Each structure stands twice: as structure tokens, then as C-alpha cells.
Amino acid sequence: MAASTLAEVAKLAGVSLATASRVLNGSARKPGEGIAERVRAAAEALGYVANAQAQALAKSSTGLIGLIVHDIADPYFSAIAQGVQAAARQEHRMVLLATTDGTPAGEKDAVVAFAARRAESIVIAGSRSTRSEDAGANAELAAELDRYCRNGGRVGVLGRPVIGAAETDRYYTVAVPNEALARELALELAAKHDGPFMIVGGPEGLATSDERIKGFQQGLSDAGRPAAELVRAPFNRNGGFDAGVGISRKLATAELSRPCIFAGNDVMAIGVAAAFREHGFKIPRDAALAGFDDIEWLRDFRPALSTVSLPLEELGRLVTLGAISDDAGPAAIAGSVALRRSTSSS
């Protein structure tokens, strides 16, 4: 059945098209007594649904925020998305979502799509790639963001700024102190762990992982400890699992004695622990284990995982408010080290 039109509503209510539009589209101009009720009753009787695109054109506003994340199934990004949604709801906006698998080329395509749909703001949450093979895609992403901002859009970025993008008053960044917090974690672990240290990190060139690796190694150095052995793997649960299998083999041959393992994020740590269980090893008896992020999944993880706690929902909220407001000042992000059972002495 064809949708009812505004003209049909106006005819049934016995008013002009302009009056019906003012009533149903929320104009500040008030119609005469009883007219608004008549128009709404006609709209209800006809099953009229307002055309959001037409309203946006009339108001020069869509109320849309485009959110770009690597993987919404990852609890790190889903927590940030909850914060974005909370801020959008507070400001009476709607959120469109795009996932990109962490590629700058995918982010560029999402920016183009959101711009075409007249999103008023775009929020990008995810690590930057510094790999040489992504240089061209980074440049294209920066160019699209610059074009979007010149045409009136606003951008909020969580983490490092987009490489090459012009940071104007329409471009807002919320930095995450990955390096400093990883250093603090290393210092606290070095004070209580005598054995060797290992790092299970993401691929080289993934900025978030590289910052955390650098900070952790610096903390060990500051504590007078040797550098940790570094194992690189995909920055997800399966990457952690595969790295955990390799570490388990070393433990089985006595090549390694009760290491303290720092995984670059919590889902990698969960993967390492799963591999250990499959090979008959236990945390913390055979190895100490720590992660980073303090995702919600850890509530049910045993033994309780040591990690760096970040206010993930608050990060999403802050970067969104910065992307839609002219008044947002610098965001001060405070994380904290949370030592739990997984790094205890036995």
C-alpha cells in the first residue's frame, strides 16, 4: 500500500499544506486553537509517516552521527559505541555504524558513505596504521576528512589523529595514554615478578599496539629489568591463542620458566589463557598474565585478570560530544593499573 502524503493529511484536516507541515515537523509557529489536534488526528487516521530525508532538507539538518569502528563484536569497540550512543541520545541525535576491519581504506569508504548521507558528524574509533603499505590509503582518508570538514562536517577521533588530516576547529581528538599506562603496568609487575617477561603484541605498524609495547618495554628498563621477549600476532583473541600455543610449547620443554606475559589487549590475554588451558597449564601457577583495557567480559574471567582499566564508555561519550559541539575543551583521560589474581605469586 502506498504511503500517505502530507498533502492528503492536509486535505483531510481541512488545512493548507504549509500548516500541516508546521504541525507535524515541529515548527515554532503555533497554529490556531484546535488545528494541531485536527492535523494529528488526520495523520493518525491515514497512517502518515514523516519523510526524514525531506525534513532534513527543509531544516538543513539530519541529526545523524556516523560511527566508524574496527569491529563492533570486539568488546573494546562495543563499549565505546555504548558511550557514543549515550551522547547521541543526550543530544537527540541518531547513530549510523560502519565497521572496517581496521583498514584506512575501509575508513575512507565509510567517510564517503556518511558524507553522502549528510551525517553532521563522524566519529572514528580505532588504531592508526603506520605501515608503509597503508600510506596511500591514509592520504586518501585524510583528504576525504578534510573535504568533509570544509563542507561543514565535524570529526571526532579517538586515539591518534588521522595521519595527514588537517586539525582544524572542526576536528576533535581524544588521546588515549597507552604508552604511559603500559609503562606504569610494567613498573608494578616488575616490582613483584622475578622471572622473565614476554609481550604478546599486535602486528608492527598498528599504532595502539606499538604504543603499548613501547611503554611496557620502557617500564621494564626503568625498573632495571631486561627487555621482554616480543611475540607478534593479530590484535584479537585468535592472535592471542596462537601466541599462547607457542608459549605453551616452550613451557612444556622447560625452555621457559614461569614468565610474566603482557598481552596488548584483554581479548589477546583471554586467547593466551585459553591456549594454556588446552595444553594443561594454569594461570598464575605456570605463568603470570596481564592485559589492557578492562573490558566487560573480564567480570566472568577466572582467574581475575590484571589489566589497565580505561573508561571505555566515557571515551566514546567524550569524543562524540567533541564532534558535535563547539564548546568541548581538551579531554583528560585517566586510566589505572588493576593488579588481580592472574599476576599473583602463585
Side-chain angles (χ1 to χ4, degrees):
M1 186 172 64
S4 298
T5 66
L6 186 60
E8 290 171 332
V9 172
K11 181 178 179 181
L12 181 60
V15 299
S16 70
L17 185 62
T19 297
S21 177
R22 282 195 293 271
V23 171
L24 297 177
N25 293 335
S27 171
R29 294 178 60 184
K30 301 298 182 183
E33 186 176 353
I35 292 177
E37 288 77 6
R38 230 170 46 235
V39 171
R40 293 191 186 102
E44 178 71 20
L46 292 171
Y48 171 76
V49 178
N51 185 323
Q53 288 180 321
Q55 287 183 342
L57 287 171
K59 298 177 181 178
S60 297
S61 172
T62 63
L64 297 176
I65 299 172
L67 171 61
I68 302 172
V69 299
H70 287 187
D71 179 7
I72 196 61
D74 186 318
Y76 173 87
F77 292 111
S78 60
I80 290 169
Q82 285 181 322
V84 172
Q85 182 62 55
R89 190 179 302 113
Q90 172 187 325
E91 299 297 323
H92 307 291
R93 311 290 180 96
M94 293 296 292
V95 178
L96 304 176
L97 174 68
T99 59
T100 66
D101 292 329
T103 65
E107 290 173 330
K108 185 264 294 182
D109 290 343
V111 169
V112 171
F114 286 152
R117 287 159 179 78
R118 302 181 68 243
E120 295 179 6
S121 303
I122 294 175
V123 173
I124 302 177
S127 181
R128 302 295 96 220
S129 172
T130 61
R131 297 178 299 180
S132 58
E133 56 265 39
D134 285 327
N138 279 329
E140 292 178 3
L141 171 61
E144 287 298 337
L145 288 173
D146 290 347
R147 184 178 299 111
Y148 174 73
C149 289
R150 287 197 305 272
N151 284 311
R154 300 183 63 93
V155 174
V157 177
L158 181 59
R160 274 197 194 181
V162 172
I163 298 169
E167 296 188 50
T168 65
D169 58 356
R170 306 193 70 81
Y171 185 103
Y172 185 79
T173 305
V174 175
V176 180
N178 288 305
E179 189 173 328
L181 290 170
R183 174 184 175 274
E184 184 179 340
L185 175 64
L187 286 170
E188 295 203 25
L189 292 175
K192 60 181 297 183
H193 187 82
D194 295 328
F197 282 83
M198 301 185 74
I199 298 174
V200 177
E204 187 173 7
L206 188 67
T208 297
S209 174
D210 288 346
E211 289 169 359
R212 294 175 181 182
I213 291 168
K214 182 179 178 182
F216 196 85
Q217 295 285 34
Q218 184 61 56
L220 291 179
S221 176
D222 292 345
R225 304 296 294 275
E229 178 185 346
L230 175 59
V231 179
R232 290 196 181 271
F235 205 48
N236 53 35
R237 183 268 179 196
N238 290 340
F241 184 89
D242 292 343
V245 169
I247 297 171
S248 296
R249 289 171 180 157
K250 290 186 176 182
L251 289 171
T253 60
E255 183 182 341
L256 189 63
S257 176
R258 196 174 182 273
C260 182
I261 303 165
F262 167 52
N265 61 32
D266 289 337
V267 292
M268 293 189 87
I270 290 171
V272 170
F276 275 26
R277 284 195 300 272
E278 284 200 7
H279 288 77
F281 296 105
K282 292 184 178 181
I283 304 291
R285 183 193 68 189
D286 301 304
L289 178 65
F292 201 113
D293 293 329
D294 206 12
I295 59 174
E296 189 174 1
W297 286 4
L298 298 188
R299 294 180 183 179
D300 301 317
F301 185 83
R302 295 293 180 272
L305 184 69
S306 292
T307 189
V308 170
S309 183
L310 288 175
L312 298 176
E313 288 191 32
E314 179 66 4
L315 289 173
R317 192 184 73 85
L318 288 173
V319 73
T320 304
L321 293 177
I324 64 180
S325 171
D326 292 324
D327 304 323
I333 303 303
S336 59
V337 173
L339 295 187
R340 299 172 180 145
R341 176 81 176 116
S342 69
T343 54
S344 63
S345 56
S346 62

